[in-house]
Amino acid sequence: MTRSVDLSGVTVATILPFHDDFSIDWASYERVLAYCTRPKGIRAVFVNGHAGEGATLDDAERIEVIRRTRAFIGPDVPLLSGIIAWSTAEAVAQAQMAEAAGVDAAVLFPLPQFSGGAGTDPRYALDYVDSVLAATSLPLSIFQQPVASGYGFSSSVLGELVARPRVIAVKEGSGDIGLYEDNLRRIKAVAPGCYMLPSNYHWLVAQVAIGADGILSGMASLIPDLLSDLWSAAEAGDLHTLRALNDQLYPIVRTIYGAPPLIEMHTRIKVALRHLGLISSAVPRRPLLPVPADVAARVGQAVDAAGLARLLSA
């Protein structure tokens, strides 16, 4: 039986702060959790994903992130963990460990080898998902990557994946607003109860206006109040408020996501959180590198212009 996991509303993908020696800064992480889970619109927490640099963590660190997060948020808030692996066997092992540690659902990242054309061949995606389903009792969310990267699944493959009874959500990051609508329609035709969770921040307002069941974003680590308000406006069908909120969000989003290279997006969020005094260091683990000083300065300026310090003290 599929356990009930409510992903309506905003799911925050948490960043994971490190000390300058690259060990995990648990005190800073707790401050981030206290900040980003505070707004009432934050309904779930997603750890060990891209924002949490999950690919750089060892098994013990991933489990400790899960345990500490669960202890902080309590038993009633849904907790999701990313599965970032190099093989199906490794993904199964990660999912089993995450289930034993107490997560409510796993978010399956596509395997690196899938960039060779697996996104349009359902054999590969179905074998991968079925292997994890068979080895655990966890509900699964599919991480839909940008199709231009080669990792994203076609609409027809997504349709086959969400037909699996315990596939409960798609974290939708196709990177194409037209494909987003195609995927939404295909998913809802096959599995009406599957959560569609947009995460492409460049088109987030357009995505929720077209249709969504919630939002899943690393930006919720930085702007949880604004994203909660955005989702409330989307649920109410309030286009005027959506546009007003987008005006507030636009300069922050373009500073974090707009300037290349996109690989730095979560490190820039760390820079912003350090600027706000929530974390002690913005250092990432390699292969990520610290952002250049001029970029860090622009991030700080965007944070100040948006008045995020006022939200921090609210």
Side-chain angles (χ1 to χ4, degrees):
M1 180 179 296
T2 303
R3 70 188 74 178
S4 177
V5 182
D6 184 0
L7 299 179
S8 60
V10 180
T11 297
V12 54
T14 56
I15 66 95
L16 185 64
F18 301 117
H19 294 291
D20 288 338
D21 66 358
F22 307 112
S23 61
I24 298 173
D25 182 351
W26 295 115
S28 289
Y29 181 59
E30 186 166 319
R31 289 194 295 271
V32 170
L33 282 176
Y35 170 66
C36 69
T37 61
R38 172 179 45 84
K40 64 180 182 180
I42 302 296
R43 301 289 177 79
V45 176
F46 170 38
V47 300
N48 297 332
H50 282 155
E53 298 178 50
T56 73
L57 305 179
D58 62 31
D59 290 339
E61 289 173 326
R62 291 189 195 97
I63 296 309
E64 190 66 12
V65 169
I66 292 168
R67 288 175 174 162
R68 286 177 180 259
T69 306
R70 173 61 79 198
F72 187 91
I73 66 177
D76 297 327
V77 177
L79 177 59
L80 292 69
S81 183
I83 306 300
I84 306 176
W86 281 88
S87 70
T88 300
E90 184 184 358
V92 165
Q94 284 190 27
Q96 289 174 327
M97 286 185 284
E99 182 174 30
V103 303
D104 297 297
V107 180
L108 281 185
F109 286 60
L111 297 171
Q113 300 92 324
F114 282 8
S115 64
T120 57
D121 188 331
R123 294 179 303 151
Y124 288 93
L126 290 171
D127 182 77
Y128 178 43
V129 168
D130 287 343
S131 296
V132 177
L133 288 172
T136 73
S137 64
L138 288 174
L140 303 183
S141 173
I142 304 302
F143 192 135
Q144 170 71 345
Q145 295 265 31
V147 291
S149 71
Y151 292 103
F153 299 115
S154 67
S155 296
S156 61
V157 170
L158 281 175
E160 293 197 47
L161 289 174
V162 300
R164 294 307 199 248
R166 280 168 33 224
V167 174
I168 63 166
V170 173
K171 180 186 185 301
E172 222 297 343
S174 291
D176 182 307
I177 191 63
L179 186 56
Y180 174 84
E181 184 168 1
D182 292 344
N183 291 342
L184 173 67
R185 293 178 181 274
R186 176 63 66 92
I187 287 166
K188 291 303 181 180
V190 174
C194 183
Y195 289 97
M196 186 68 154
L197 304 175
S199 62
N200 266 127
Y201 209 89
H202 290 302
W203 300 284
L204 189 55
V205 172
Q207 287 173 316
V208 298
I210 290 170
D213 299 299
I215 294 169
L216 195 161
S217 175
M219 283 291 283
S221 284
L222 176 61
I223 50 171
D225 298 87
L226 293 176
L227 287 189
S228 295
D229 292 344
L230 185 75
W231 179 246
S232 294
E235 283 191 300
D238 186 348
L239 183 59
H240 177 77
T241 299
L242 277 174
R243 286 173 171 168
L245 285 164
N246 193 45
D247 287 340
Q248 288 182 264
L249 294 167
Y250 181 84
I252 306 170
V253 172
R254 286 298 182 265
T255 303
I256 299 294
Y257 288 88
L262 188 60
I263 192 174
E264 292 183 354
M265 58 186 173
H266 297 120
T267 311
R268 293 172 189 171
I269 293 175
K270 283 189 170 184
V271 169
L273 293 172
R274 182 185 63 188
H275 185 77
L276 288 170
L278 280 166
I279 65 176
S280 299
S281 173
V283 65
R285 281 184 178 176
R286 288 180 171 83
L288 299 177
L289 299 173
V291 301
D294 61 324
V295 175
R298 289 198 295 273
V299 170
Q301 291 165 3
V303 166
D304 291 341
L308 296 188
R310 293 194 303 274
L311 296 175
L312 181 62
S313 60

